[in-house]
Amino acid sequence: MTVGTGSPAQARSSAPHASPPPAGEPAAAPGPHLPDSPTEDDVRAGGLGIDPDDLPDGLVVADETGRIVCFNAAASRITAVPGAEALGRPLDQALPLEDLKGRRWWALTDPYGGLATRRGQPERNLLLPGGREVLVSARYVRAHPTGPVRRVVVSLRGTEARRRTERSHAELIATVAHELRSPLTSVKGFTATLLDKWERFTDDQKRLMLETVDADAGRIKRLIAELLDISRIDSGRLEVRRQPVDIAAAVGRHIQAHTTGGQSPDRFFVRIRPDLPELWADPDKIDQILGNLLENAVRHGEGTVTIEVAPTTATTDGEKGTEVSVSDEGSGIPEESMGRVFTRFWRGSKRGGTGLGLYIVKGVVEAHGGTITVGRGPRGGAEFRFILPVGTPAHLL
C-alpha cells in the first residue's frame, strides 16, 4: 500500500486498488504482509485485557487512512463528542483542533506527510470548537523507522488539573510575598535606623531593635524552611533520618518553650502512657510536627491543651507504634472544614500564619509511614491525632 505525503484525505485517495493478473499468467509473488487496520479491540494494550475506556486520559487512534478506529470514554468526555459519532470519521474532522493563534493543528502537523523520521508531537495546549482548552500529544506509529504512518495515537487531557496547579502556585507566591514583606520591612527599617543614628540611641534601645531584627530574621528563616519542605513533599523527596527518639521528652521541651514565652503552665496537661515502644524517627521532623500542632492549639484553641502519648498498633499487620493526640477546649473545627484542614493555605477562624503548617505536618507524618487525623476532642475543641510506626531499621531487626 502506498501512502501519499499530503493530508489524511489525500492519503486515503492515493491508496490504489490491486488489479487482478492477466488470464493465463501466474499470480505475482506476494509482497511483505502488513497488518490490517486495527479495530478498537486491537487497541486493548496488546491483548493484556485493558479496555481503552479504563484509561484515565482520552485516547484516539486513527488508522493509515486517517480514519478513527478508537475513541475511548475519556476522549468523549473531554471533547463532548460521542464515541459512536467519532468512529470511522477522518481524524481532522472529528477533532478540529486549533492552536492558540487560530491555526488548524492537523494542517500544521500533517501526521501522514512531511518528514518520514517524525515520531509524533509533544504535549501542547490546543482549542476545540467553542474555545474549550485541551492538552494534546500525538505518536506516529510506523511499520519501520522511515516507513509510512500506520497509526496516529492521540492522547487528550483536560486542563483542569493544570489550572488548579497554576492557581496553587500563584497563591503560594502571593502568600510568600505577603509573609516576607512584613519582616523584611522591619529588618530593613531597624538596620537603616541603627546605621544612620547609632549614637543617638541608648544601649537598651539598641538591644530592643536588634532583638526585633533577630526575631524577624528567624521568621524569614522559618518561612524559607517551610517552602523547602513543601517542595520536597510535593516531589516525594522528603528525607527521614531515623534514630531513637524520646517523644515524651520532646513534648516536654515544646511545652517549656511555650511557658517560657508567656503561656501559663496550667494551660497544658500531659498524659504519658506506660510501655511506650522505642521509636525510630527523625528528631527534627518530630519537633516540627509537635511544634506545629501545639502552636495551632495555643493560637486557635482555648482552655487547656491536652497532649497524650500512648502505645498503639500502627498498621494492620500488628506492627507496634506510638500514638500522639493534641486537643484543646475551644470551639473546634467546623464539620464542613475538616476535609480541608491538611490542604495548603487552610486557616482556622482566627487568621494568622501562612496556612502551610498542617500541610507540612501531614507530609512529614506520612514520610515516616504514619497517619494523621483531625476530629472533635473530648471537651469540644479540635483534636489532632497522629500514629507513627516504630520504624526500627532493618539491620537491627
Side-chain angles (χ1 to χ4, degrees), residues 19-42:
S19 56
E25 293 186 9
H33 174 70
L34 292 175
D36 295 332
S37 298
T39 66
E40 185 157 348
D41 289 337
D42 297 326

Side-chain angles (χ1 to χ4, degrees), residues 58-379:
L59 175 67
V60 179
V61 181
D63 63 13
E64 72 272 13
T65 69
R67 293 188 178 274
I68 292 176
V69 296
C70 175
F71 201 88
N72 73 347
S76 296
R77 184 185 70 251
I78 293 170
T79 63
V81 176
E85 181 180 320
L87 289 176
R89 293 184 63 190
L91 185 60
D92 54 348
Q93 294 181 20
L95 287 177
L97 297 164
E98 295 181 352
D99 65 14
L100 301 182
K101 295 182 179 179
R103 298 173 297 186
R104 296 184 68 83
W105 193 58
W106 295 116
L108 289 174
T109 58
D110 190 14
Y112 293 88
L115 295 175
T117 57
R118 293 186 307 167
R119 300 173 64 95
Q121 295 291 330
E123 186 177 75
R124 63 190 305 175
N125 200 1
L126 299 175
L127 300 176
L128 289 166
R132 296 194 308 278
E133 293 187 17
V134 62
L135 298 171
V136 182
S137 58
R139 171 84 176 192
Y140 306 156
V141 180
R142 304 176 186 270
H144 50 84
T146 59
V149 173
R150 296 305 307 248
R151 290 192 297 279
V152 174
V153 182
V154 182
S155 173
L156 306 174
R157 290 197 298 148
T159 59
E160 294 82 3
R162 177 170 292 186
R163 294 296 186 196
R164 286 195 298 270
T165 300
E166 291 174 351
R167 285 195 298 269
S168 178
H169 288 168
E171 191 173 357
L172 179 61
I173 292 171
T175 299
V176 170
H178 174 76
E179 292 294 326
L180 285 175
R181 184 183 298 120
S182 176
L184 283 175
T185 301
S186 172
V187 169
K188 177 63 177 175
F190 279 121
T191 54
T193 302
L194 287 171
L195 288 172
D196 290 343
K197 304 175 181 179
W198 179 266
E199 297 81 6
R200 300 186 185 182
F201 296 107
T202 66
D203 289 345
D204 289 341
Q205 289 172 328
K206 292 174 184 177
R207 174 176 290 277
L208 177 61
M209 285 189 280
L210 288 174
E211 287 175 348
T212 304
V213 169
D214 182 67
D216 286 333
R219 181 177 167 190
I220 294 172
K221 182 179 179 181
R222 288 192 298 273
L223 179 59
I224 293 173
E226 285 184 348
L227 294 176
L228 291 174
D229 284 335
I230 287 175
S231 174
R232 295 183 184 113
I233 290 170
D234 289 346
S235 62
R237 294 185 293 106
L238 187 65
E239 294 183 0
V240 175
R241 296 178 172 86
R242 296 182 184 271
Q243 55 185 284
V245 173
D246 187 343
I247 196 165
V251 170
R253 288 196 306 271
H254 282 276
I255 292 176
Q256 184 177 3
H258 280 281
T259 55
T260 303
Q263 293 292 328
S264 169
D266 296 336
R267 180 85 194 271
F268 302 95
F269 177 75
V270 180
R271 181 185 293 116
I272 307 295
R273 301 291 186 181
D275 301 324
L276 291 178
E278 184 179 33
L279 176 64
W280 285 76
D282 189 318
D284 293 336
K285 299 292 190 292
I286 296 300
D287 281 338
Q288 196 173 21
I289 296 170
L290 294 173
N292 271 293
L293 293 182
L294 284 172
E295 183 176 350
N296 184 76
V298 169
R299 175 182 294 179
H300 300 289
E302 297 175 4
T304 301
V305 176
T306 301
I307 305 98
E308 182 170 355
V309 183
T312 188
T313 301
T315 59
T316 54
D317 60 3
E319 182 182 4
K320 293 181 179 180
T322 301
E323 179 183 82
V324 181
S325 64
V326 179
S327 60
D328 61 75
E329 299 177 349
S331 58
I333 299 171
E335 197 71 30
E336 63 273 13
S337 298
M338 286 189 178
R340 298 183 289 110
V341 166
F342 296 109
T343 59
R344 291 186 187 182
F345 311 118
W346 182 87
R347 296 181 178 90
S349 56
K350 297 180 182 178
R351 306 294 289 181
T354 61
L356 301 174
L358 293 177
Y359 176 80
I360 293 173
V361 164
K362 183 174 185 291
V364 172
V365 169
E366 291 178 348
H368 281 81
T371 59
I372 184 168
T373 57
V374 61
R376 191 166 295 279
R379 300 187 180 182

